[in-house]
């Protein structure tokens, strides 16, 4: 009987332990998401976190197409940015995109797949910790568990790796847009394994890195990214790899 009582006491204590493992207490979530603590523990727990109005996530209140939801992230006034992590609380695969703006503006536009209504957040890492902004997006759902149009039409192999893009001057900076043809399979559709772009690198002709993108499964099929870099009249080189080890290269110029 004494052993059994001691064992029961241990079971009662175990659920309390995770709250004692936080490196920093999580701040209250202004979006009131029940998944906030989970996201905090998954992605942000090792650094201080603040909700910051300088981190702007721009997106429609309601998604017309859950497989192609447009989002823009723009960061104002923050300096020494090490990375920007975008995630969606209620997606079955919440991590969306990691953006490292080495010599680029902290600005990125893209489209993502949403499984249901969810906050979409951008967390900006600086030497002082994470600065977080986000918005709720209402979505009918199913974006992560439906096959891509290329899979349905069986045309994805004929376009895989094709790259389109352009550069133009915008408000004293160079804005660029690139599209890489890829099915971006989540692995959540029966019979279709995970298969997506995992790294995109933009460099100057001399090899200087401008920015790095690490897309995850929720990025939309044939992804389009919009970015800003200092005014640049040289050729921009693009290189990318996917989860199957395929490599793709291209060039952008005004």
């Amino acid at each position: 009987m004494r052993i059994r009582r001691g064992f029961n006491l241990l079971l009662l204590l175990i659920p309390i332990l995770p709250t004692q493992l936080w490196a920093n207490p999580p701040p209250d979530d202004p979006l009131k998401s029940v998944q906030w603590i989970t996201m905090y523990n998954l992605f942000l727990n090792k650094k201080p976190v603040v909700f910051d109005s300088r981190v702007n996530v721009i997106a429609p209140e309601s998604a017309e197409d859950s497989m192609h939801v447009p989002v823009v992230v723009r960061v104002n006034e923050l300096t020494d940015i090490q990375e920007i992590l975008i995630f969606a609380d209620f997606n079955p695969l919440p991590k969306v995109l990691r953006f490292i703006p080495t010599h680029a503006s902290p600005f990125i536009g893209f489209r993502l797949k949403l499984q249901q209504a969810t906050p979409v957040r951008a967390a900006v890492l600086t030497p002082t910790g994470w600065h977080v902004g986000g918005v709720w997006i209402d979505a009918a759902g199913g974006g992560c568990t439906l096959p891509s149009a290329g899979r349905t039409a069986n045309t994805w192999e004929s376009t895989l790796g094709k790259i389109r893009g352009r550069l133009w001057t915008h408000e004293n900076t160079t804005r660029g847009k690139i599209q890489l043809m890829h099915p971006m399979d989540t692995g959540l559709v029966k019979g279709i394994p995970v298969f997506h772009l995992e790294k995109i690198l933009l460099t100057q002709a001399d090899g200087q890195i401008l920015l790095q993108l690490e897309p995850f499964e929720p990025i939309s099929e044939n992804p389009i990214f919009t970015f800003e870099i200092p005014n640049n009249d040289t050729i921009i080189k693009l290189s990318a790899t996917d989860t199957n080890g395929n490599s793709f290269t291209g060039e952008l110029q005004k």
Side-chain angles (χ1 to χ4, degrees), residues 20 27 29 50-51 62 110 115 181-182 184 189 198 210 224 232 235:
Q20 300 172 350
D29 178 21
V50 295
F51 288 100
S62 180
F110 57 94
Q115 188 66 16
M181 303 300 286
H182 203 284
M184 299 299 290
V189 179
E198 62 179 357
L210 294 170
I224 298 173
N232 194 317
I235 294 173

Side-chain angles (χ1 to χ4, degrees), residues 21-27 40-41 44-49:
L21 298 178
W22 284 329
N24 303 280
Y40 172 85
N41 285 326
L44 311 177
N45 191 16
K46 294 182 180 180
K47 301 281 185 179
V49 176

Side-chain angles (χ1 to χ4, degrees), residues 156-211:
W156 68 272
E157 287 182 297
S158 64
T159 61
L160 180 69
K162 290 185 177 179
I163 298 171
R164 295 186 293 181
R166 60 168 295 206
L167 301 170
W168 68 95
T169 301
H170 175 77
E171 295 180 353
N172 300 318
T173 65
T174 294
R175 178 168 285 191
K177 180 175 286 189
I178 54 174
Q179 181 178 35
L180 291 84
M181 303 300 286
H182 203 284
M184 299 299 290
D185 297 314
T186 63
L188 301 178
V189 179
K190 185 177 180 180
I192 302 177
V194 62
F195 179 43
H196 63 87
L197 293 163
E198 62 179 357
K199 185 175 181 180
I200 302 168
L201 194 66
L202 292 183
T203 61
Q204 293 186 159
D206 61 5
Q208 183 184 58
I209 295 174
L210 294 170
L211 64 88

